[in-house]
Every structure is written in C-alpha cells, then in structure tokens.
Amino acid sequence: DIQMTQSPSSLSASVGDRVTITCRASKGIRNYLAWYQQKPGKVPKLLLYAASTLQSGVPSRFSGSGSGTDFTLTISSLQPEDVATYYCQKYNNAPFTFGPGTNVDIK
Amino acid sequence: EVQLLESGGGLVQPGGSLRLSCAASGFTFSSYAMNWVRQAPGKGLEWVSALSDSGGSTYYADSVKGRFTISRDNSKNTLYLQMNSLRAEDTAVYYCAKGYDIGWYPGGYWGQGTLVTVSS
C-alpha cells in the first residue's frame, strides 16, 4: 500500500506569515489528493481536492499544488482561526490513507 | 442542509461486537459514496472503510479487514458499520463522511462522530 507522510509534524508561525505544509506519497497518485483542516475539538473539514481545487466556502488564502508524489498546502497569510491540524489524504484507489497530520499554531 | 448523525457507539469488551449507524438527510443519499473514518484519543485520522453509492463496491483498511463490514440501506438513508472481534486499538471516535461530490470518496461533509471504547 502507498504510505503518506507529512512535514513538518508541527509548526509555529506569526499572523500574516506564509505557511507551507508538504505531503508525500510513497508512489505516484496523480492528483488524487485531498487536504483537511481539523480545529481543536471539531470535526474535520475538507479544504481542497484534486490537489489544487478549493472546496466551496474555503478562504482563498488556502491553496494546493503538486502531482505524482509531492504535494503542498499553502496558507498565504496565516490567521488566528487557522490554528488546526492539517491532514492530506490519497484517493487514487483504496485504501484512502491519511497522512499523519501537521499541527499549526500561532507564535 | 446536509446532516449525518452517527449512533451505536459505546463500551464493549474485547472480542465483542457493535453496529454503528449513520442517518443521513439533506441530500440524495443514494447518489454518494460514503466513508467511515476513526480517530483514537489524541491521535490522527484513520480511514476505516468506504462504499460506493449503490453499495456494490466496498473497501477496507488492512487494520479492520475481515472484522468490520460496511453497508448501506438507501431506502432508509442510512450507513452502517458492523464491527466484530473488537480490540482495544479500535477505541476511537468513529465519523461517517459523505463523498464531496457524486462519484468521489473524500469526505466533503462529516458527522459529529460516535465514541467506541473497547475495554474490559
């Protein structure tokens, strides 16, 4: 099975900073990658699918890129409400594995 | 408004069984793939199982294959997860999640979850 990794596992940044999270698949998954945000104590929320397509209602400061094995999630200007854990998920075929998550907080 | 309401969680002894349900409303249930995803206390998300809109295709994580069975009743707008031979490591909040669009599996909408605790 394809393994998913994320880096860093956690980061701390200032409000307004540009933040980048990386997700890597152990084999190519084309662009079948989704990104989720889970705020503390809340249910996960889909941010992007197809690696770079923003889900309806998600702020435009979130963006995604990549194809094959390497993907990035970028927050162009970090806001206090973005404090959360971010997960990637592959869905080219089952199992639809999640990455281990990246914790983002405010410095 | 899309609603997913999980039920059936609780305390069960190792080796026991539980059946989770997810009642769906606010969308055409029979048109969407559905998933179960779990989250152990303080841990990350773990995809558990998924099935197609018709229920004709089912998928499982290796960790639950042979023990869990996913199913759906499109006449009742309900998703199920039958969990047998439960282990301590199955302790988690179990979420049902609706595919974000017709024909796609990633969870575009999630329920609030139901807690399963496996302990003697």
Side-chain angles (χ1 to χ4, degrees), chain A residues 28-32 51 65-72:
Chain A
I29 58 170
R30 290 177 284 176
N31 69 334
Y32 292 106
S65 65
S67 184
T69 60
D70 295 317
F71 303 87
T72 58

Side-chain angles (χ1 to χ4, degrees), chain A residues 1 32 34 36 38 42-46 49-50 55 87 89 91 94-100, chain B residues 35 37 39 43-47 50 59-62 95 100 104-108 110-112:
Chain A
D1 291 343
Y32 292 106
Y36 298 85
Q38 187 177 30
K42 300 296 186 182
V43 171
K45 172 186 174 182
L46 178 67
Y49 57 90
Q55 173 73 333
Y87 298 92
Q89 182 192 29
Y91 60 98
F96 303 138
T97 310
F98 286 93
Chain B
N35 300 264
V37 177
Q39 188 167 33
K43 302 297 184 182
L45 301 175
E46 181 185 10
W47 174 79
Y59 308 96
Y60 298 94
D62 286 346
Y95 298 101
Y100 72 87
W104 296 101
Y105 285 90
W110 298 54
Q112 292 301 308

